[in-house]
């Protein structure tokens, strides 16, 4: 074991202690120390350092620190500093330990690594995750070959689920060590979907490294990365990277590729599936076709060579002449199929699927029906299937102009319907205002008539009570009797006559209002019918809320019940001068002479000529307040009658506006980006051309 390894393991003392000595190292070193002290110039540094190690190993940390703090030879100082930090660490004095670790100054890479590993452990103990990550990363960067340092880092990154650092470590170590074990770890991370946010160029160097090491492992790693990027935003970028990599790295022709040919084939058909625009893939296609043709086995070049030739037919001048010549050679020497019907049927089905997405499937099926009945695609020959596909593509190309006009017509149609709805909304508003005016005015007149009738009748009832005054009346308490009788007659009138008249008037008003409501409902029905006729289906149904009438009936019953509970009022019991005079005279003269002519005449005159407007107002004020409160709510109730119709109109308006916006967007796309419609059809034509080549259909 080297001296530095002994210093790391705290076993340096074994160098100076006789291993055959059966005594404890502490005694042996103590004896050596005392013996050295006898010399004129004792050399105690190595003994002190060794004593510190033995004390440390026997958990006497304070003694160890004491020994390591004494003057030592220069070569021991950084190691003693690190050991002092270790002792504090073992005692749980982490802040002191960190301080001593950071003060270690040394040129030794291994000692620096040990310090970083100890700091790493210390930070884990303290729960300082970021500091722990930084420490282990620095250790790996400084001394990646140090025993177990990369394995420690990998295990820690996985434990804390720090996948970015785990991936970074695996990539760097695979490149540095060229070890298949690190390739396996990286493949696991990719397979778990932990790398999809990395740009594909991040893996370029490791792929080149693996390509030089092991072709099959290169294919394996490539396949896993390929699958991880297939549905991501980086897919085209990945295809660019892998194609550039293969073009820039020469590969011996003798190797038979096992996974790449299918990956390139699947990717090609994915590129021309319609998922991408032609301008997005045109620069990539030449590299992709070139690599695909290169890695295809001689027994499987029909698909790749026919793909090159088909692309050249549809997009002449896109591909290099050398690639076309090579494809022609392979195609001429391949086993050309004569009855590859299934690929043609699959192509026709994909055209139907696209047509369905574009809303054209029904039109396509109607157009194709005679031809399909004649050919029967399930048993048709490849050439007949070719004719079916070609007819479908040509129909859809022509259909684009018709679709464009249909969208314009739909926009105009919806705009006309929206204008009609706005007209209906305006009419609805006018109807609402008019109905509110008619119904409110009629109720106002009813209210005024009822109140005026009561105001005329109550004073008359009170005055007629003068007939109760007789010459022989007891004038001392006559005012009390009269007041009781007046209240009785008022209550009788309100309960029998006024209540009956008011209920009769209300019933008539509600009946008239219902007729008004029915008239407006007929108007709503006409509006709905007219719009639905124009729309072509039952879309608008405007209905008034007739529950308003029930609510009115209930409110009126509550108001009329209040007319049955008229509170007794003081008519002759008030303290105005005239009443005081009559009450006083009645008490004075009533006991002397009950037939006093003068008092009799005065009483009758007072009753018959009194002003009862204030009393009348007081009696009917609660009734008036209730009626006026109801009157104030009529306009809001009318708006409630029309509320549902407004909601229906608003809902249909929003739908029409949404349709207009959707069709307008489609129109803009078709005008400004015709490739969105044209490219899929062009790619269908490309696939048809390859189908013709693979079936040798001229």
């Amino acid at each position: 074991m080297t001296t530095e390894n002994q210093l790391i393991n705290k076993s340096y003392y074994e160098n100076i202690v006789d291993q055959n000595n059966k005594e404890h190292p502490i005694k042996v070193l103590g004896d050596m120390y005392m013996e050295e002290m006898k010399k004129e110039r004792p050399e105690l540094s190595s003994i002190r350092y060794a004593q510190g190690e033995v004390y440390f190993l026997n958990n006497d940390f304070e003694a160890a620190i004491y020994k390591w703090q004494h003057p030592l030879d220069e070569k021991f100082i950084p190691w003693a500093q690190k050991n002092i930090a270790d002792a504090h660490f073992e005692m749980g004095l982490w802040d002191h330990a960190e301080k001593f670790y950071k003060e270690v100054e040394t040129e030794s890479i291994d000692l620096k690594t040990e310090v970083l590993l100890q700091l790493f452990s210390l930070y884990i103990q303290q729960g300082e995750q970021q500091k722990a990550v930084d420490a282990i990363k620095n250790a790996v960067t400084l001394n990646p070959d140090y025993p177990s340092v990369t394995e420690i880092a990998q295990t820690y990154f996985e434990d804390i689920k720090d996948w970015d650092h785990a991936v970074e470590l695996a990539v760097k170590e695979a490149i540095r060590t060229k070890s298949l074990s690190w390739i396996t770890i990286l493949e696991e991370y990719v397979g778990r979907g932990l790398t999809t946010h990395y740009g594909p160029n991040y893996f370029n160097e490791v792929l080149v490294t693996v390509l030089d090491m092991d072709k099959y492992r290169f294919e394996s790693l490539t396949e896993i990365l390929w699958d991880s990027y297939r549905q991501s935003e980086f897919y085209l970028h990945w295809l660019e990277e892998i194609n550039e990599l293969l073009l820039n790295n020469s590969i011996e022709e003798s190797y038979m590729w096992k996974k790449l040919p299918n990956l390139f084939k699947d990717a090609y058909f994915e590129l021309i599936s319609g998922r991408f625009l032609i301008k997005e893939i045109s620069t990539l296609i030449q590299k992709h076709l070139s690599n695909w043709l290169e890695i295809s086995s001689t027994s499987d070049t029909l698909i790749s060579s026919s793909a090159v030739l088909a692309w050249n037919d549809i997009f002449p001048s896109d591909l290099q002449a050398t690639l076309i010549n090579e494809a022609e050679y392979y195609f001429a020497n391949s086993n050309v199929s004569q009855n590859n019907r299934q690929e043609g049927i699959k192509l026709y089905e994909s055209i139907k699927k696209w047509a369905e997405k574009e809303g054209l499937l029904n039109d396509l099926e109607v157009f194709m029906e005679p031809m399909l009945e004649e050919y029967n695609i399930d048993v048709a020959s490849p050439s007949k299937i070719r004719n079916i596909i070609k007819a479908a593509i040509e129909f859809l190309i022509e259909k684009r102009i018709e679709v464009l006009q249909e969208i314009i017509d739909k926009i105009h149609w919806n705009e006309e319907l929206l204008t009609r709805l706005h007209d209906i909304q305006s009419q609805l508003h006018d109807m609402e205002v008019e109905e509110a005016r008619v119904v409110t005015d009629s109720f106002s007149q009813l209210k005024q008539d009822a109140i005026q009738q009561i105001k005329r009748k109550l004073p008359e009832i009170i005055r007629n009570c003068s007939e109760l005054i007789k010459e022989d009346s007891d004038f001392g308490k006559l005012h009390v009797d009269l007041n009781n009788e007046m209240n009785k007659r008022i209550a009788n009138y309100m309960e029998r006559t006024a209540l009956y008249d008011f209920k009769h008037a209300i019933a008539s008003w509600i009946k008239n209002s219902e007729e008004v409501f029915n008239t407006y409902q007929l108007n709503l029905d006409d509006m709905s019918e007219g719009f639905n006729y124009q729309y072509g289906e039952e879309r608008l149904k405007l209905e008034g809320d007739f529950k308003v009438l029930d609510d009115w009936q209930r409110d009126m019953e509550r108001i009329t019940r209040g007319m049955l509970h008229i509170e007794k009022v003081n008519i002759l019991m008030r303290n105005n001068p005239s009443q005081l005079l009559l009450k006083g005279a009645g008490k004075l003269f009533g006991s002397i002479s009950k037939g006093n002519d003068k008092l009799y005449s005065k009483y009758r005159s007072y009753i018959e000529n009194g002003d009862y407007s204030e009393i009348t107002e007081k009696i009917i004020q609660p009734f008036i307040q209730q009626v006026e409160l109801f009157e104030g709510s009529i306009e809001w109730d009318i708006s409630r009658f029309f509320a549902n119709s407004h909601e229906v109109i608003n809902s249909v308006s929003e739908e029409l506006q949404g349709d207009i916006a959707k069709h307008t967007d489609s129109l803009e796309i078709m005008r400004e980006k015709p490739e969105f419609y044209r490219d899929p059809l062009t790619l269908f034509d490309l696939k048809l051309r390859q189908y013709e080549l693979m079936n040798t259909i001229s």
Side-chain angles (χ1 to χ4, degrees):
M1 182 180 288
T2 65
T3 301
E4 195 160 71
N5 282 338
Q6 289 176 326
L7 292 171
I8 291 170
N9 295 314
K10 295 184 179 65
S11 59
Y12 172 77
Y13 72 93
E14 294 176 354
N15 282 350
I16 58 178
V17 173
D18 185 356
Q19 298 301 307
N20 294 320
N21 193 327
K22 301 301 183 182
E23 293 183 300
H24 196 282
I26 290 177
K27 185 175 186 313
V28 174
L29 290 168
D31 291 343
M32 290 175 65
Y33 187 91
M34 295 305 295
E35 199 61 37
E36 187 69 21
M37 284 291 290
K38 295 176 183 178
K39 296 179 181 179
E40 184 178 347
R41 302 186 69 178
E43 292 291 335
L44 300 171
S45 179
S46 60
I47 297 173
R48 286 197 189 101
Y49 187 86
Q51 284 177 320
E53 286 185 330
V54 176
Y55 288 139
F56 183 94
L57 294 173
N58 286 276
N59 296 329
D60 191 349
F61 302 118
E62 291 183 355
I65 292 170
Y66 175 78
K67 287 294 181 180
W68 286 325
Q69 283 179 334
H70 275 68
L72 300 170
D73 288 347
E74 188 174 335
K75 67 176 182 179
F76 290 120
I77 291 174
W79 289 98
Q81 186 88 27
K82 183 258 183 188
N83 289 345
I84 290 171
D86 288 346
H88 284 89
F89 183 36
E90 293 298 328
M91 290 188 291
L93 302 173
W94 293 330
D95 290 341
H96 289 80
E98 181 180 14
K99 172 179 174 294
F100 286 117
Y101 283 132
K102 289 184 175 180
E103 289 176 355
V104 174
E105 294 183 5
T106 181
E107 296 298 320
S108 169
I109 299 298
D110 285 351
L111 178 53
K112 288 180 179 179
T113 306
E114 276 293 315
V115 168
L116 287 169
L117 287 173
Q118 287 299 100
L119 281 170
F120 167 68
S121 298
L122 184 148
Y123 291 140
I124 290 176
Q125 291 291 334
Q126 292 179 315
E128 295 278 1
Q129 183 172 299
Q130 187 55 53
K131 287 184 177 180
V133 168
D134 292 341
I136 195 63
K137 280 181 62 181
N138 290 337
V140 170
T141 302
L142 176 68
N143 198 358
D145 287 321
Y146 195 75
S148 301
V149 70
T150 53
E151 289 78 5
I152 291 170
Q154 181 212 351
T155 301
Y156 181 65
F157 292 151
E158 290 186 355
D159 285 346
I160 65 173
K161 294 181 171 50
D162 187 345
W163 301 116
D164 283 347
H165 282 121
V167 170
E168 179 186 358
L169 178 66
V171 169
K172 287 183 176 179
E173 286 303 292
I175 295 169
R176 188 183 70 84
T177 65
K178 295 181 171 56
S179 166
L180 292 179
S181 62
W182 280 107
I183 302 300
T184 301
I185 291 170
L186 178 58
E187 287 177 342
E188 179 191 344
Y189 292 158
V190 176
R192 291 168 61 184
L194 302 174
T195 62
T196 54
H197 59 290
Y198 286 86
N201 59 334
Y202 182 79
F203 300 102
N204 191 280
E205 188 177 355
V206 71
L207 282 168
V208 172
T209 301
V210 181
L211 179 62
D212 291 337
M213 291 167 47
D214 185 320
K215 301 294 184 294
Y216 184 76
R217 288 306 296 270
F218 168 78
E219 287 193 272
S220 176
L221 178 58
T222 299
E223 181 182 37
I224 294 173
L225 282 166
W226 205 308
D227 289 340
S228 75
Y229 283 124
R230 194 179 303 277
Q231 298 303 323
S232 79
E233 59 181 329
F234 291 120
Y235 187 53
L236 290 182
H237 187 190
W238 160 256
L239 293 177
E240 288 280 359
E241 288 293 328
I242 194 63
N243 275 288
E244 282 291 338
L245 187 150
L246 290 174
L247 288 174
N248 295 332
N249 290 271
S250 57
I251 303 162
E252 64 270 20
E253 295 182 4
S254 60
Y255 180 73
M256 292 290 292
W257 295 97
K258 300 167 183 62
K259 295 175 178 288
L260 287 192
N262 275 335
L263 289 172
F264 270 82
K265 180 186 74 172
D266 293 344
Y268 174 73
F269 286 111
E270 205 162 4
L271 287 171
I272 65 171
S273 66
R275 175 182 169 187
F276 307 101
L277 296 175
I278 293 172
K279 65 182 179 182
E280 293 177 313
I281 63 172
S282 56
T283 56
L284 169 63
I285 282 294
Q286 173 154 316
K287 302 172 190 175
H288 193 84
L289 289 174
S290 179
N291 280 318
W292 183 17
L293 192 62
E294 189 69 25
I295 63 176
S296 298
S297 64
T298 53
S299 61
D300 189 31
T301 55
L302 174 61
I303 299 178
S304 55
S305 60
S306 62
V308 173
L309 298 177
W311 186 275
N312 185 56
D313 283 349
I314 303 300
F315 305 102
S317 76
D318 267 18
L319 306 179
Q320 293 180 353
T322 53
L323 176 59
I324 298 168
N325 292 336
E326 188 178 1
E328 287 175 342
Y329 170 80
Y330 282 119
F331 182 75
N333 290 278
S334 62
N335 297 320
V336 178
S337 170
Q338 295 294 324
N339 194 29
N340 192 6
R341 298 175 53 261
Q342 290 306 314
E343 289 302 316
I345 293 174
K346 281 171 60 178
L347 176 54
Y348 181 67
E349 290 300 320
S350 67
I351 292 172
K352 285 172 61 180
K353 189 175 181 179
W354 179 84
E356 182 178 21
K357 182 173 70 72
E358 295 293 324
L360 301 173
L361 180 58
N362 185 60
D363 293 334
L364 177 63
E365 288 180 337
V366 170
F367 175 79
M368 295 299 299
E369 186 176 1
M371 193 173 192
L372 290 172
E373 288 179 354
E374 179 184 353
Y375 284 177
N376 188 357
I377 194 169
D378 292 327
V379 296
S381 65
S383 60
K384 287 185 177 180
I385 293 174
R386 184 272 312 269
N387 294 339
I388 291 171
I389 296 169
K390 189 173 183 180
I393 294 172
E394 289 174 351
F395 169 78
L396 290 171
I397 290 173
E398 291 297 323
K399 190 68 178 175
R400 182 182 181 276
I401 300 172
E402 186 179 331
V403 168
L404 199 66
Q405 188 57 49
E406 285 178 358
I407 292 175
I408 294 171
D409 291 342
K410 285 178 181 177
I411 292 172
H412 291 159
W413 175 246
N414 285 329
E415 286 175 342
E416 288 180 15
L417 291 174
L418 195 58
T419 300
R420 174 62 183 142
L421 269 185
H422 289 158
D423 291 342
I424 292 175
Q425 188 99 48
S426 178
Q427 293 176 48
L428 204 62
H429 175 72
D430 293 342
M431 288 165 58
E432 186 175 335
V433 171
E434 176 62 18
E435 182 173 355
R437 185 191 64 77
V438 170
V439 175
T440 303
D441 286 353
S442 63
F443 184 83
S444 180
Q445 187 61 52
L446 177 155
K447 177 195 72 174
Q448 293 299 327
D449 291 346
I451 292 173
Q452 291 304 318
Q453 177 65 16
I454 294 171
K455 284 184 176 181
R456 285 195 302 271
K457 193 64 179 176
L458 290 186
E460 180 183 333
I461 290 171
I462 294 172
R463 292 189 184 100
N464 288 340
C465 286
S466 65
E467 66 190 29
L468 300 174
I469 304 171
K470 308 296 182 182
E471 290 182 1
D472 59 350
S473 296
D474 183 353
F475 291 101
K477 61 174 185 175
L478 181 58
H479 62 285
V480 176
D481 295 336
L482 283 173
N483 196 76
N484 290 336
E485 184 61 26
M486 289 174 178
N487 275 284
K488 182 179 177 182
R489 293 187 181 187
I490 288 170
N492 187 60
Y493 168 74
M494 292 298 290
E495 292 173 9
R496 295 185 180 180
T497 305
L499 176 61
Y500 174 81
D501 291 344
F502 184 72
K503 290 179 74 171
H504 180 74
I506 286 296
S508 177
W509 175 77
I510 289 178
K511 183 173 177 22
N512 291 336
S513 297
E514 184 177 8
E515 291 176 358
V516 172
F517 279 21
N518 286 329
T519 299
Y520 284 119
Q521 182 59 58
L522 290 174
N523 292 336
L524 295 177
D525 292 342
D526 289 342
M527 292 178 189
S528 301
E529 185 178 347
F531 180 83
N532 291 334
Y533 179 78
Q534 185 178 0
Y535 196 87
E537 63 177 84
E538 292 293 320
R539 189 66 195 82
L540 200 66
K541 187 171 181 60
L542 306 179
E543 292 182 314
D545 186 358
F546 282 85
K547 291 199 298 274
V548 170
L549 295 171
D550 296 333
D551 293 342
W552 285 352
Q553 186 66 50
R554 186 181 62 251
D555 290 343
M556 287 298 101
E557 288 175 358
R558 175 178 50 78
I559 292 172
T560 53
R561 282 198 301 271
M563 296 176 70
L564 298 175
H565 304 287
I566 302 297
E567 292 186 6
K568 187 174 182 180
V569 293
N570 293 327
I571 303 172
L572 296 179
M573 307 291 286
R574 294 172 297 166
N575 293 324
N576 61 50
S578 298
Q579 288 184 345
L580 286 173
L581 179 63
L582 286 174
K583 291 176 187 176
K587 290 177 181 179
L588 176 62
F589 297 108
S591 59
I592 300 172
S593 173
K594 293 185 180 178
N596 189 293
D597 293 341
K598 187 174 184 181
L599 186 56
Y600 164 77
S601 299
K602 193 70 174 177
Y603 237 118
R604 287 195 63 129
S605 175
Y606 172 76
I607 299 301
E608 291 171 353
N609 298 299
D611 180 7
Y612 301 106
S613 59
E614 184 179 342
I615 290 295
T616 300
E617 194 71 35
K618 182 178 180 181
I619 292 171
I620 66 172
Q621 187 58 37
F623 169 73
I624 293 174
Q625 287 178 343
Q626 290 295 315
V627 171
E628 289 181 345
L629 186 64
F630 173 83
E631 182 182 23
S633 67
I634 291 176
E635 190 170 338
W636 184 86
D637 288 333
I638 296 294
S639 68
R640 188 154 59 89
F641 176 82
F642 289 98
N644 180 65
S645 297
H646 283 299
E647 289 178 8
V648 170
I649 291 174
N650 289 336
S651 175
V652 177
S653 294
E654 288 176 4
E655 288 184 22
L656 289 173
Q657 289 168 351
D659 287 344
I660 291 171
K662 182 182 70 176
H663 292 316
T664 301
D665 289 344
S666 299
L667 186 63
E668 289 178 359
I669 290 172
M670 291 188 73
R671 284 174 170 171
E672 296 176 11
K673 298 179 179 179
E675 63 271 21
F676 277 55
Y677 186 97
R678 181 191 60 218
D679 280 12
L681 295 174
T682 304
L683 294 173
F684 285 139
D685 207 21
L686 171 68
K687 294 174 191 174
L688 175 61
R689 180 59 188 136
Q690 185 174 4
Y691 175 73
E692 292 172 342
L693 288 168
M694 291 182 67
N695 286 276
T696 62
I697 303 171
S698 60

